[in-house]
Amino acid sequence: MVQATARTQQATKVILVPRAELQALDDSSLVKAHLNGETRAFDIIVERYQVRLLNFVYRIVGDRERSEDLVQEAFIRVHRHLARFDRSKKFSTWIYTIASNLAKNELRNRARSPLVLFTTLAPQWDDEERPLEFEDTDAQPDEEFRQKHLREAVQESVAKLPAHHRDVFVLRELEGRSYEEIAEITHCNLGTVKSRLNRARNAFAEIIEPSLR
């Protein structure tokens, strides 16, 4: 009886995967590991996306504490519906879509337009329609004051973009999302995404131009 019990305990013993191995897994594999009972896999997902989602949501809603609440809610929803995730799709697109929808709902519930803080743009605009280059990456220390002024101008300019233009602008130029991902996240077709992005870039250039004189 004792031997049988020992065999049963051995059979049910959980073999933990080293944390380093979990961290090396891609998103889809982490989802699979979590669904197979490796609860630490979801912790890795949270660690991988928490800061990125917080920055993304914060730039849309403009409220740090509220952004933290929304990101927490996003992870709750991801955890709740993870079994429904289609692993043939890209996980990052799915989680960004959830966060984006929560951010949009937050804006709809507000009586005032949000202030969007946009700290910096991606160093390269990789399309042919390139707006103004407002920041000199080779600036010397005595240029710090000017750079601060330009960053503030960027914040104010992005805040003036229409919400549907601001979404694609942030997703593409700051988050580096592909056009296909942005289309899924914003529930728009590819042509609409590209059109909105071009308009956002042109509008941004016009808005910020007086600050560059």
Side-chain angles (χ1 to χ4, degrees):
M1 183 67 179
V2 175
Q3 291 180 344
T5 301
R7 285 196 298 269
T8 300
Q9 290 176 341
Q10 184 176 7
T12 58
K13 183 179 179 181
V14 177
I15 301 176
L16 295 177
V17 178
R19 183 176 178 82
E21 291 186 18
L22 285 175
Q23 291 175 322
L25 295 177
D26 60 24
D27 294 340
S28 183
S29 297
L30 284 173
V31 170
K32 181 178 180 180
H34 172 77
L35 295 177
N36 287 338
E38 176 50 84
T39 57
R40 294 175 304 156
F42 192 78
D43 295 336
I44 303 299
I45 291 175
V46 172
E47 292 173 5
R48 186 171 292 178
Y49 282 96
Q50 189 165 30
V51 173
R52 293 156 62 182
L53 288 182
L54 179 58
N55 289 336
F56 169 61
V57 173
Y58 177 46
R59 291 182 182 102
I60 293 176
V61 305
D63 182 321
R64 193 76 179 182
E65 291 186 3
R66 185 61 185 139
S67 297
E68 292 174 353
D69 292 338
L70 292 173
V71 170
Q72 182 177 2
E73 175 63 23
F75 281 121
I76 291 173
R77 295 191 181 191
V78 168
H79 188 274
R80 184 183 302 153
H81 301 295
L82 200 57
R84 302 180 187 175
F85 169 63
D86 182 356
R87 276 181 275 162
S88 68
K89 302 293 182 63
K90 198 168 183 178
F91 178 80
S92 62
T93 300
W94 185 57
I95 196 170
Y96 266 89
T97 300
I98 292 173
S100 177
N101 289 339
L102 288 170
K104 289 177 182 177
N105 289 338
E106 173 71 13
L107 296 188
R108 291 191 191 102
N109 293 332
R110 292 185 180 184
R112 59 182 177 79
S113 297
L115 172 64
V116 180
L117 298 180
F118 192 85
T119 58
T120 182
L121 286 174
Q124 298 293 328
W125 300 72
D126 58 359
D127 294 320
E128 293 181 359
E129 299 84 1
R130 183 168 180 166
L132 298 174
E133 296 183 5
F134 65 91
E135 186 169 9
D136 180 5
T137 56
D138 297 323
Q140 298 301 312
D142 59 355
E143 285 287 298
E144 289 183 1
F145 178 80
R146 175 175 173 273
Q147 297 294 344
K148 181 177 182 294
H149 167 73
L150 292 176
R151 286 194 296 271
E152 292 173 351
V154 171
Q155 294 172 4
E156 295 173 359
S157 299
V158 175
K160 294 177 182 177
L161 293 174
H164 57 288
H165 286 168
R166 186 169 61 240
D167 287 348
V168 297
F169 193 81
V170 172
L171 283 166
R172 180 63 176 175
E173 303 306 341
L174 188 67
E175 299 295 332
R177 300 288 116 188
S178 69
Y179 290 119
E180 290 75 14
E181 286 182 280
I182 296 173
E184 288 192 48
I185 291 171
T186 59
H187 307 293
C188 296
N189 60 50
L190 207 57
T192 299
V193 168
K194 292 182 178 181
S195 175
R196 287 183 178 179
L197 182 58
N198 286 336
R199 291 178 182 177
R201 287 170 171 171
N202 291 333
F204 173 82
E206 291 180 6
I207 294 170
I208 200 173
E209 194 272 337
S211 301
L212 303 179
R213 294 173 182 171

